[in-house]
Amino acid sequence: MGTVKIETYYDTQPITSATTQNANQSAITNSTGGLNEDNVRIEGIDFRNLNTRGIRIFATQYNGRAIATGQSLPTLGLGATYYPYSSSVSAPSGIHPGGQVEHAVNHDETGVINTAIGKGTKLQLNGTSGIGLQVNDKVVVRWSAMIYAVIPGTQGTTIGDLMSQLIAPNQSNNGSGIGEWFWILYPKFDTTSNALTDTNFQNAADAGIVNSEIYLDPDNDSSGKSALSTHNTNHMTVIPLHLLSAGNATGQPDGANYADVNGPSETAVCNHFKVSGEFVFTVDNAITLYGVQLFTSGVWRFDFDPTGTTTLTPSVFLEADVCNPAAGDYGVDDGIAIERAKVDVIVYTGEMA
Amino acid sequence: MAVSFTNTFSNGTTIDATKLEENVNDLRNYVNGGISTSDFASDFAEYYHIMKGSFIATPSIYELITGPCVGHPDIPRAHAFSGKVLGALNADDNYVPGQAISFYMEEQGDLFLSFNCYPRAMDSQTGASPQAGDFAFIQVNLDGVSKPSTKCYFHAEVEPMGIHGNIPIWDRRMPIHETVVLQNVSSGYHNIYLEIGMSNRQSVFKYITFDLQGHYDLVS
């Protein structure tokens, strides 16, 4: 009965049409099972989430890799080790090798690489159907990961190896040194198919969900520098690699990895540490979102304005060099080991139904 | 059963006022107590029409609370208060005082929880060697089941290192933020709380914000 249409009686007619009367009666009669949500008003209820599409979907994906503290990296699992773009490490089989601009965070509960749906951080939304995002929907992605260890690179660890020369503009092999290197962790989105192939995961703009946004993305930026003035970084978490040690027994400053399975020491900040992040955006285009997955990339570092000016408009770039101070190179090739990791997605409606 | 009218009318004949009134009465009687279950569509009056589709449990914010005290229930030297919870080392069932919420769900739904804290883990006070590996953790527990994806580690406040003796540990007072989505939590009573474990004797938690939101399933 939600929408019964009553025909109009015309007062100017001397005789009311029986057809009109019968039609009106039939319109009301055909109400079996017809009382529906149109007959219920929501006035007086002003909480937005009470409407039919307040929250469209909750979804979460946890890789399940949780072990005790202080374990060796082989125990953690080869698939949980991620080597950087600047590294040439490719063995043993089963690691995330160097030379790649980014890696899907896809080690499973046993610590091995697993690209299956529902493993690692590959989150499928609403089964194989995906969720049809509508314009103005709000997408909230939250994630966290336990950084189990910083995998030492091949560079030296004393201050002379890790502090660069003065920062020079437009020189990719210069930088501030200890403290500036980092990895990043970020979600990517698959709007291509429910197969959730790793190569189909893209940033929110390239996936066609949002318009006119430029996200820092190794896929697009590995060949050059990305100015922070033009590239969004609100979709990613920074994973720090080093701090400058206060000194050991001989008073020699040193570089300290941020995480080490052996715990705090003169060259290690802590055992393990958790990073988390949150990315919220408004949908610009109606499109089906099939899945979300975390990716990680490193080693990133800062540099001055890629245009070569001396103004303070820093950029970041993906490190391609390994530290060799004698040759004027001050890069690093530290990897990271990730233990547990998860990603959550909540889609809120942007419009009242 | 749907409303049924007593009379129908034929074109070309005068509509009898009495019969029309009977039909009007039929409609009146239907509205006035004649509506039956079969008249309702399956999607009539969902939960979200008549009850809160979302609830926000009481936000719990504490400036200063104590954590577990394992071993000697002594008073931490840097803070003038003692531990309130005794528990085994590394046990997962040491709940953080004041951070438990009991809630009732009318229907199955999804929960979203987040917390922030600035833990201050005290040192072992042994003064011997660096306490590498001394740590504590905090994580979420729902109905007695730990949620390992939410586990966050933090370390002792003071470590003996460097040529000048004890210096603050590297990541002291590092903030922790964690979230968890708990899907398809069943109807009925539930308890959710923060729990801690540690490899040292005592720990202190400060500035904990604990926020729980729940949302009933909107799609049947």
Side-chain angles (χ1 to χ4, degrees):
Chain A
M1 187 183 282
T3 53
V4 174
K5 179 176 175 54
I6 300 297
E7 296 186 24
T8 304
Y9 296 100
Y10 292 96
D11 295 335
T12 56
Q13 294 181 174
I15 300 174
T16 299
S17 168
T19 301
T20 303
Q21 177 62 26
N22 290 336
N24 285 345
Q25 291 179 184
S26 296
I28 300 173
T29 303
N30 296 329
S31 64
T32 301
L35 292 174
N36 57 27
E37 58 190 3
D38 292 334
N39 298 101
V40 181
R41 303 177 70 101
I42 58 171
E43 60 187 16
I45 303 176
D46 58 359
F47 200 71
R48 192 178 184 86
N49 281 350
L50 293 188
N51 212 317
T52 54
R53 297 189 295 125
I55 290 182
R56 302 190 59 200
I57 193 170
F58 266 98
T60 184
Q61 173 64 37
Y62 169 49
N63 71 347
R65 185 54 174 164
I67 65 173
T69 62
Q71 305 300 303
S72 66
L73 295 188
T75 300
L76 175 64
L78 295 176
T81 57
Y82 297 80
Y83 287 86
Y85 183 58
S86 55
S87 172
S88 59
V89 172
S90 60
S93 177
I95 65 171
H96 289 274
Q100 299 184 14
V101 297
E102 66 178 358
H103 303 283
V105 179
N106 57 9
H107 63 281
D108 64 12
E109 68 277 9
T110 64
V112 302
I113 293 175
N114 191 333
T115 60
I117 294 171
K119 293 293 183 178
T121 60
K122 186 175 286 185
L123 170 61
Q124 184 181 55
L125 296 171
N126 193 30
T128 57
S129 299
I131 179 171
L133 299 178
Q134 301 298 314
V135 174
N136 289 330
D137 279 354
K138 313 297 181 189
V139 179
V140 179
V141 185
R142 296 183 176 91
W143 63 89
S144 66
M146 186 74 78
I147 307 304
Y148 203 75
V150 171
I151 304 173
T154 58
Q155 71 275 358
T157 58
T158 60
I159 189 170
D161 296 324
L162 297 175
M163 291 296 288
S164 75
Q165 305 296 315
L166 292 176
I167 299 173
N170 205 26
Q171 296 294 321
S172 63
N173 58 356
N174 281 265
S176 57
I178 293 175
E180 70 157 335
W181 294 292
F182 60 95
W183 277 66
I184 57 176
L185 181 69
Y186 48 95
K188 301 187 88 169
F189 306 88
D190 188 346
T191 56
T192 302
S193 81
N194 57 21
L196 300 186
T197 305
D198 283 350
T199 52
N200 286 338
F201 284 87
Q202 298 176 294
N203 66 55
D206 291 346
I209 304 174
V210 301
N211 298 330
S212 305
E213 298 287 350
I214 301 176
Y215 295 103
L216 183 66
D217 185 346
D219 268 349
N220 303 330
D221 304 324
S222 60
S223 60
K225 303 172 186 176
S226 301
L228 296 179
S229 58
T230 57
H231 286 68
N232 285 346
T233 56
N234 60 334
H235 65 299
M236 65 182 214
T237 296
V238 169
I239 302 171
L241 293 181
H242 314 97
L243 285 178
L244 180 62
S245 169
N248 55 22
T250 62
Q252 175 64 50
D254 213 338
N257 290 330
Y258 215 96
D260 188 301
V261 296
N262 296 316
S265 70
E266 294 160 357
T267 56
V269 176
C270 61
N271 285 80
H272 327 291
F273 66 98
K274 197 80 171 282
V275 295
S276 59
E278 179 171 342
F279 178 36
V280 183
F281 60 91
T282 299
V283 175
D284 288 333
N285 304 302
I287 194 169
T288 299
L289 176 61
Y290 295 101
V292 177
Q293 184 172 213
L294 293 180
F295 283 73
T296 188
S297 174
V299 174
W300 287 77
R301 63 185 307 192
F302 291 95
D303 195 22
F304 266 121
D305 187 349
T307 63
T309 67
T310 56
T311 56
L312 289 173
T313 53
S315 63
V316 293
F317 65 94
L318 193 57
E319 178 60 72
D321 282 337
V322 179
C323 189
N324 181 10
D329 293 334
Y330 296 91
V332 299
D333 57 350
D334 289 323
I336 57 172
I338 301 175
E339 188 208 25
R340 65 201 74 190
K342 71 175 178 64
V343 60
D344 305 326
V345 173
I346 304 176
V347 179
Y348 296 86
T349 182
E351 301 288 345
M352 301 297 282
Chain B
M1 179 178 290
V3 61
S4 176
F5 293 107
T6 304
N7 305 298
T8 56
F9 304 100
S10 301
N11 276 329
T13 61
T14 302
I15 294 178
D16 189 314
T18 303
K19 292 181 178 178
L20 182 58
E21 186 172 347
E22 285 180 351
N23 284 5
V24 172
N25 288 341
D26 288 338
L27 182 58
R28 180 201 62 192
N29 294 336
Y30 174 73
V31 174
N32 191 17
I35 300 174
S36 62
T37 305
S38 61
D39 294 338
F40 291 94
S42 59
D43 58 351
F44 177 83
E46 296 285 353
Y47 293 114
Y48 51 80
H49 285 113
I50 54 179
M51 63 185 289
K52 280 188 173 183
S54 172
F55 66 90
I56 300 175
T58 304
S60 181
I61 302 173
Y62 291 83
E63 271 202 352
L64 187 65
I65 68 170
T66 58
C69 185
V70 179
H72 301 290
D74 53 0
I75 298 175
R77 61 188 180 192
H79 298 275
F81 56 89
S82 62
K84 295 171 63 178
V85 177
L86 300 178
L89 291 172
N90 288 320
D92 285 353
D93 56 357
N94 298 325
Y95 69 89
V96 182
Q99 298 296 326
I101 293 176
S102 177
F103 59 94
Y104 180 80
M105 297 185 69
E106 293 281 356
E107 292 293 330
Q108 174 176 292
D110 300 321
L111 294 174
F112 166 70
L113 177 132
S114 66
F115 66 86
N116 293 282
C117 66
Y118 286 78
R120 293 184 182 182
M122 305 303 293
D123 77 288
S124 65
Q125 301 185 50
T126 60
S129 58
Q131 301 301 303
D134 280 355
F135 64 92
F137 67 81
I138 185 168
Q139 66 183 357
V140 172
N141 183 299
L142 174 67
D143 297 331
V145 179
S146 301
K147 300 298 177 184
S149 65
T150 65
K151 180 178 285 187
C152 299
Y153 291 109
F154 52 94
H155 297 266
E157 177 89 336
V158 176
E159 295 289 350
M161 56 169 36
I163 59 175
H164 301 298
N166 292 358
I167 60 175
I169 190 63
W170 293 96
D171 61 343
R172 64 196 291 256
R173 303 178 187 181
M174 182 175 68
I176 286 175
H177 170 72
E178 187 53 80
T179 66
V180 60
V181 168
L182 304 164
Q183 289 184 285
N184 302 323
V185 178
S186 63
S187 61
Y189 284 102
H190 296 278
N191 297 299
I192 194 166
Y193 55 91
L194 299 181
E195 63 185 6
I196 50 181
M198 59 183 50
S199 62
N200 210 330
R201 288 192 297 172
Q202 66 273 322
S203 185
V204 178
F205 293 82
K206 291 193 69 173
Y207 308 120
I208 295 178
T209 299
F210 184 68
D211 175 61
L212 173 68
Q213 298 179 35
H215 300 270
Y216 292 108
D217 291 341
L218 299 183
V219 180
S220 59

